[in-house]
Amino acid sequence: LYAEDFRRSSVRLAFLPHCLRDLTADCRATHRDVDYVCKGCTVGCNVNNTSKLLRRHRVKPYIWMSANLRSLFKRLKREGNSVGVLGIACIPELVRGMRLCMRSGVPVVGVPLDANRCARWWGEFHWNTVNLQKLETLLDG
């Protein structure tokens, strides 16, 4: 619905779930201006691979851990930026995040994870993936 508006935004942000990270490695993501940013610890990490793809399409990827999206959107809009958000998450989290963006007047697109393997549902984290080909198709338009 908002894909074209997202692609036209001057500031394009992506928020990825931490469950995409390589669970066999010690994640070294660091907190930056908005939230955590992948440092590319391992080649097989899905956060790393997704972040690389997003950066190639001029989208700033963050691992959503603590960002206050409402205040971020207000600040960016005050600075005169048009903001677009791409969310990658399980369906329940994706719906919640997309609704927040829509209430804030921010064009948002969502990409569901290939499966919901969250500790909330399974009791522990399991390896998770997102379809990078479909994500690239969405970014290309």
Side-chain angles (χ1 to χ4, degrees):
L1 184 64
Y2 296 110
E4 198 53 46
D5 291 338
F6 167 78
R7 284 191 285 273
R8 281 192 296 242
S9 299
S10 60
V11 174
R12 295 184 295 165
L13 308 172
F15 292 96
L16 289 65
H18 60 90
C19 63
L20 276 178
R21 71 187 191 282
D22 182 350
L23 299 175
T24 65
D26 184 28
C27 180
R28 288 180 264 153
T30 57
H31 194 276
R32 295 267 170 87
D33 56 336
V34 172
D35 214 333
Y36 284 81
V37 176
C38 176
K39 301 277 282 197
C41 306
T42 64
V43 176
C45 177
N46 289 317
V47 170
N48 182 17
N49 296 324
T50 304
S51 294
K52 286 178 184 177
L53 172 64
L54 291 164
R55 283 192 292 271
R56 280 197 309 267
H57 287 273
R58 297 180 327 275
V59 178
K60 295 178 183 179
Y62 294 95
I63 304 167
W64 191 11
M65 300 285 279
S66 61
N68 182 326
L69 297 184
R70 283 189 185 106
S71 62
L72 172 65
F73 298 154
K74 286 178 186 176
R75 179 178 57 84
L76 290 171
K77 287 179 178 182
R78 244 189 342 264
E79 294 170 357
N81 297 301
S82 61
V83 183
V85 169
L86 184 146
I88 298 173
C90 62
I91 298 295
E93 293 297 323
L94 197 57
V95 168
R96 188 171 70 96
M98 291 179 74
R99 285 182 177 159
L100 185 151
C101 291
M102 290 165 46
R103 282 192 303 270
S104 300
V106 173
V108 59
V109 292
V111 178
L113 294 172
D114 291 334
N116 188 346
R117 297 184 180 110
C118 181
R120 182 181 314 152
W121 315 114
W122 290 83
E124 62 186 11
F125 281 111
H126 294 274
W127 186 261
N128 223 330
T129 58
V130 64
N131 188 318
L132 294 179
Q133 290 175 324
K134 289 197 187 261
L135 178 59
E136 183 143 39
T137 299
L138 174 71
L139 294 168
D140 284 338

